Amino acid sequence: MNRVELELYLNDTLQIAQFRDYCPNGLQVEGRPEVRKIASGVTASLAFLEAARDWGADAVIVHHGYFWKNEDARVVGMKRRRLGVLINNDINLFAYHLPLDAHPELGNNAQLGKLLGFADDGGRFGPDQLGWLGTPAQPTTLGALAAHVAATLGRTPLMLGDADRDVRRVAWCTGGAQGFFEAAIAAGADVYISGEVSEPTTHLAAESGVGYLAAGHHATERGGARAVGEHIAERFGLEHKFFDLSNPV
């Protein structure tokens, strides 16, 4: 399909105008006008771009793209090498940050909840209502839920709290959303699942009694870009491949 048509469809579907983000959402690097093969991944790292190039991608869709606020604007070093792969091979880069977290079906939070078997009860919390609330498939404990997360994501989460604590309501927000923990507690969660953890998180979990699972930034955000790529491929008859590069974080 035509690149402009793809861009307009993605921007409209992910409703990028609704978000004040830390980076530009949408087409970040322009490539060839016709798109037949799309590669998706979490981050537009050099390793990902080289894998997409070798596969023959015309466009890539990622959650973590470029041009973040307050970053060095010079095209040198790592940035030059990454942009060089895109420009020299005429590959389009589409990147969606907060819009890809928030989408009710294709987003990272929607996909993580679905993968872990949580029933979305419609509750939302935090900035831009990015945090989700729901219930596990059956009543469980913090320890049992941590084991389920580990088995499902292939990464053992850092668990804060009493392993025997009953869990009936779950809050989650993918990536670096440990700052939403207090909002999750206020929303009535028994446990909060996010990607990362900070030093104050330990004290907040201990003093509130609410459990916390830091399941990995990369591990919790693999769903969104993949879902968007699969959706685009099915809707427009394109070829798609998701590249899940190993990342311990």
Side-chain angles (χ1 to χ4, degrees):
M1 68 183 302
N2 180 268
R3 177 192 63 237
V4 174
E5 294 175 351
L6 177 59
E7 178 185 11
L8 292 174
Y9 180 81
L10 286 170
N11 291 353
D12 181 63
T13 299
L14 296 174
Q15 301 181 342
I16 65 172
Q18 294 187 11
F19 298 89
R20 297 182 61 186
D21 212 334
Y22 312 103
C23 62
N25 288 297
L27 182 65
Q28 291 190 337
V29 178
E30 182 180 305
R32 59 181 63 99
E34 291 300 318
V35 176
R36 294 180 176 86
K37 299 179 70 174
I38 297 176
S40 63
V42 178
T43 298
S45 66
L46 182 62
F48 166 76
L49 295 177
E50 290 176 338
R53 174 202 61 197
D54 294 344
W55 179 66
D58 302 305
V60 296
I61 298 174
V62 299
H63 181 48
H64 301 137
Y66 306 146
F67 314 117
W68 301 91
K69 288 182 180 178
N70 302 319
E71 76 171 23
D72 188 344
R74 296 176 299 164
V75 181
V76 298
M78 181 177 71
K79 183 184 288 187
R80 182 189 183 281
R81 290 191 292 274
R82 290 177 170 183
L83 291 173
V85 172
L86 291 164
I87 294 171
N88 291 336
N89 294 279
D90 218 13
I91 299 172
N92 297 282
L93 169 63
F94 294 92
Y96 296 92
H97 186 233
L98 294 183
L100 192 55
D101 288 319
H103 193 274
E105 297 177 6
L106 303 174
N108 288 320
N109 286 319
Q111 292 295 311
L112 181 63
K114 180 180 179 180
L115 185 64
L116 294 174
F118 299 151
D120 174 20
D121 67 10
R124 299 290 184 268
F125 63 93
D128 291 314
Q129 299 292 286
L130 289 174
W132 285 45
L133 291 159
T135 55
Q138 58 189 19
T140 186
T141 64
L142 179 60
L145 181 59
H148 171 59
V149 170
T152 304
L153 299 184
R155 180 189 186 279
T156 302
L158 172 67
M159 182 181 75
L160 302 176
D162 181 1
D164 294 326
R165 178 191 171 99
D166 290 332
V167 172
R168 294 182 174 82
R169 198 171 197 215
V170 180
W172 69 96
C173 189
T174 65
Q178 62 268 49
F180 293 9
F181 191 18
E182 284 189 86
I185 294 169
D190 298 308
V191 62
Y192 177 52
I193 301 172
S194 188
E196 298 186 12
V197 65
S198 299
E199 192 275 343
T201 314
T202 304
H203 310 299
L204 188 54
E207 294 173 29
S208 68
V210 175
Y212 189 95
L213 298 178
H217 195 131
H218 175 87
T220 58
E221 292 193 329
R222 289 179 291 192
R226 182 174 193 164
V228 169
E230 291 174 347
H231 172 76
I232 292 297
E234 181 178 358
R235 183 176 181 89
F236 296 107
L238 305 175
E239 190 173 352
H240 167 254
K241 184 173 182 179
F242 175 71
F243 289 87
D244 187 14
L245 278 65
S246 178
N247 190 325
V249 176

